[in-house]
Amino acid sequence: MLIIKKTEEAISSLYLRQPHFVLIHGLSGGSWCWYKIRCLMENSGYKVSCLDLKGAGVDRSNPNTVLDFQDYNQPLMDFMSALPDNEQVILVGHSAGGLSVTQATHKFAKKISLAVYVAATMLKAGYLTDQDVKDGVPDLSEFGNAYDLEFGLGADQPPTTAVVKKELQRKIIYHMSPQEDSTLAAMLLRLGPIQALQSARFSEENDDIDTVPRVYISTLYDRVVRPEQQDAMIKRWPPSKVYVLESDHSPFFSTPFVLFGLLVRAAASVGCTLEI
């Protein structure tokens, strides 16, 4: 019995030390966005969790009823709250998922070994100022009327949800990605709760967010979060490392092997490596 107990303890200890990546999607996406990265990670021995935020992916909430960022991001906050106190994770946010990562880092800094932003909104306090909006909100005006909108609170109120028009999705979001992946995305993208995102503001009082290392992975040919926007956010809140990908806005489709390598490299930079 003693041998069995010690074996179980050893396995448990190894499991806790195994790098655990938590992958967060952007607006209109879902956990499905990460299917290539998840496969590469799990096949290499990493632990991976892919979450659907409220009203996204397989979560059946009506996104038009998700009006507050706290409500939208609650699945991640619940996940972090449920983690054992002695376990740390690597949070990875894509696009608007960067806001989710930042909120979690404000509240659960001690449970996060690294925060990674992939072509993501990286604003320490969320959308607090006009400069935050300029740097962090995609400007698709050059594509004309690029969004399909819904007005869950009435036609006389601001839109509650948005999604890039189907005929523009490949041109804007996936122009360097395989055709089969942009086709999959066209089938799975959902209206995203833009009103909830606009309410993303974070208190910086009495937290340890700057104790958590951050890495930014920028995307050189991004048509959603433009390179100049990414550079502005990096300059205003400098991360410990910046990597550059020759990619569109969706490197999990267009350059999955390179993205996987950078995520592993970023994890190793803070001592998160697989134990053989």
Side-chain angles (χ1 to χ4, degrees):
M1 291 296 293
L2 182 60
I3 294 175
I4 293 174
K5 184 176 181 180
K6 286 188 176 295
T7 301
E8 289 175 344
E9 289 174 351
I11 293 172
S12 176
S13 176
L14 180 61
Y15 187 72
L16 287 172
R17 293 197 304 271
Q18 182 186 28
H20 182 182
F21 289 87
V22 180
L23 310 181
I24 310 299
H25 61 82
L27 186 70
S28 297
S31 58
W32 56 268
C33 296
W34 299 102
Y35 80 96
K36 289 183 175 180
I37 301 300
R38 179 170 187 163
C39 184
L40 289 168
M41 285 184 167
E42 290 183 339
N43 285 345
S44 299
Y46 294 96
K47 183 179 178 183
V48 188
S49 298
C50 300
L51 304 185
D52 286 315
L53 301 179
K54 192 167 182 180
V58 299
D59 182 278
R60 297 297 31 169
S61 303
N62 179 353
N64 281 302
T65 67
V66 182
L67 306 176
D68 174 77
F69 187 77
Q70 179 66 42
D71 189 28
Y72 174 61
N73 202 35
Q74 197 60 48
L76 175 57
M77 305 308 280
D78 290 343
F79 179 91
M80 295 300 301
S81 181
L83 281 175
D85 289 338
N86 61 340
E87 182 175 352
Q88 286 191 318
V89 297
I90 300 162
L91 288 187
V92 182
H94 172 249
S95 196
L99 292 165
S100 298
V101 168
T102 299
Q103 186 187 45
T105 309
H106 274 292
K107 296 195 175 184
F108 297 100
K110 290 180 173 59
K111 292 185 176 183
I112 300 166
S113 57
L114 177 68
V116 183
Y117 295 77
V118 181
T121 305
M122 186 176 66
L123 300 168
K124 189 174 184 180
Y127 294 127
L128 205 59
T129 68
D130 290 342
Q131 189 65 47
D132 294 329
V133 173
K134 179 181 178 182
D135 294 342
V137 175
D139 179 6
L140 305 185
S141 57
E142 72 171 90
F143 301 102
N145 184 16
Y147 290 106
D148 284 326
L149 304 172
E150 287 195 0
F151 298 81
L153 298 178
D156 59 337
Q157 298 295 316
T160 47
T161 57
V163 64
V164 173
K165 290 179 180 292
K166 198 173 289 287
E167 63 270 21
L168 292 174
Q169 288 170 4
R170 178 161 181 82
K171 183 176 183 180
I172 297 174
I173 313 172
Y174 308 111
H175 65 281
M176 296 175 69
S177 300
Q179 188 75 45
E180 58 267 30
D181 288 324
S182 60
T183 300
L184 174 70
M187 297 168 65
L188 295 177
L189 287 174
R190 295 176 61 186
L191 286 156
I194 55 170
Q195 189 164 131
L197 283 185
Q198 291 166 355
S199 73
R201 296 176 182 85
F202 316 126
S203 170
E204 297 181 50
E205 296 180 5
N206 302 317
D207 66 35
D208 301 314
I209 189 168
D210 283 324
T211 66
V212 178
R214 281 175 295 110
V215 166
Y216 199 97
I217 300 178
S218 64
T219 39
L220 198 57
Y221 303 110
D222 201 316
R223 295 175 179 174
V224 180
V225 183
R226 300 282 182 169
E228 57 268 27
Q229 290 179 291
Q230 298 181 36
D231 290 343
M233 290 185 286
I234 289 168
K235 184 176 181 179
R236 290 176 60 202
W237 190 27
S240 54
K241 293 182 182 294
V242 177
Y243 301 118
V244 179
L245 272 176
E246 294 186 357
S247 166
D248 56 16
H249 186 60
S250 305
F252 39 66
F253 290 159
S254 57
T255 56
F257 292 99
V258 181
L259 176 58
F260 166 65
L262 289 181
L263 291 173
V264 170
R265 183 177 172 186
S269 72
V270 294
C272 295
T273 57
L274 285 173
E275 295 192 12
I276 306 301

